[in-house]
Every structure is written in structure tokens, then in C-alpha cells.
């Protein structure tokens, strides 16, 4: 049986930490002694509204709280639209699915 399971960056397709069902299933997996490493969106609510991150999660055996690393160098045109104010003027608001981070 493997001790570490690695899922790709966007394997979940949703903010995994905000899904009670997903967290329950991950807890069952890690209860058997396995660690899960995956990438997922992370969404935080603050005074300004919502802030989204592209994050790496490490779910460890016997630990309910994952370790989280937020990506700090985003991919232009994939995770954010550079010069958005200029491109918006020409009617370009996004080039990928979602609004970016």
C-alpha cells in the first residue's frame, strides 16, 4: 500500500477545504496511514470580499488540519490576465475559465 498519494494541481476542480464531503473522504484515506498531496483552489472571505489562491495541500495521517502552501507566482493568461484594464477596454475580460486569482 502506498504511503503518499499525489494528485495533480487541479484534480478536485473545486475548493477542497470548503467541501465537508471531500474532507470526510480524505480523512478516511489518511486514517489508513496515507498522506495526500494535491493542488486546489483556496477561497478566503475577508473585509474586502473574497480572495482566491492556487494552493498546495498536504493532508497527513491523524491530523485534521492540512498544511497549505499558496502559490505566489501565478501563470500569466492562465491564472490571471495581465494588463486587464487595457484588455478590458478592447472587450477581453478573460482567456481561461473563471476570473483568475
Amino acid at each position: 500500500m502506498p504511503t503518499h498519494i499525489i494528485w495533480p494541481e487541479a484534480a478536485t476542480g473545486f475548493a477542497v477545504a470548503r467541501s465537508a464531503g471531500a474532507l470526510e473522504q480524505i480523512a478516511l484515506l489518511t486514517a489508513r496511514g496515507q498522506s495526500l498531496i494535491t493542488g486546489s483552489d483556496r477561497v478566503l472571505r475577508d473585509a474586502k470580499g473574497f480572495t482566491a489562491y492556487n494552493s498546495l495541500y498536504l493532508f497527513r495521517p491523524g491530523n485534521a488540519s492540512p498544511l497549505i502552501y499558496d502559490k505566489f507566482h501565478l501563470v500569466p493568461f492562465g491564472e490571471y490576465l495581465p494588463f486587464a484594464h487595457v484588455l478590458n477596454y478592447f472587450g477581453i475580460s478573460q482567456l481561461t475559465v473563471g476570473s483568475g486569482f
Side-chain angles (χ1 to χ4, degrees):
M1 178 182 302
T3 59
H4 292 76
I5 299 169
I6 302 171
W7 289 348
E9 182 178 20
T12 60
F14 57 90
V16 71
R18 300 189 103 191
S19 171
L23 293 175
E24 289 172 11
Q25 293 299 310
I26 291 170
L28 289 174
L29 175 73
T30 58
R32 297 189 308 239
Q34 296 156 316
S35 293
L36 172 66
I37 302 167
T38 189
S40 182
D41 297 345
R42 187 164 80 96
V43 182
L44 299 177
R45 176 178 234 154
D46 55 23
K48 300 175 202 169
F50 291 96
T51 304
Y53 298 93
N54 188 357
S55 301
L56 175 74
Y57 285 83
L58 171 59
F59 294 94
R60 300 165 291 160
N63 197 315
S65 299
L67 295 175
I68 302 169
Y69 173 80
D70 294 328
K71 188 174 182 180
F72 63 89
H73 182 74
L74 300 176
V75 178
F77 301 103
E79 296 172 325
Y80 78 98
L81 186 62
F83 310 109
H85 62 286
V86 174
L87 295 173
N88 287 339
Y89 178 78
F90 294 104
I92 301 171
S93 61
Q94 71 182 54
L95 298 174
T96 62
V97 176
S99 60
F101 294 92

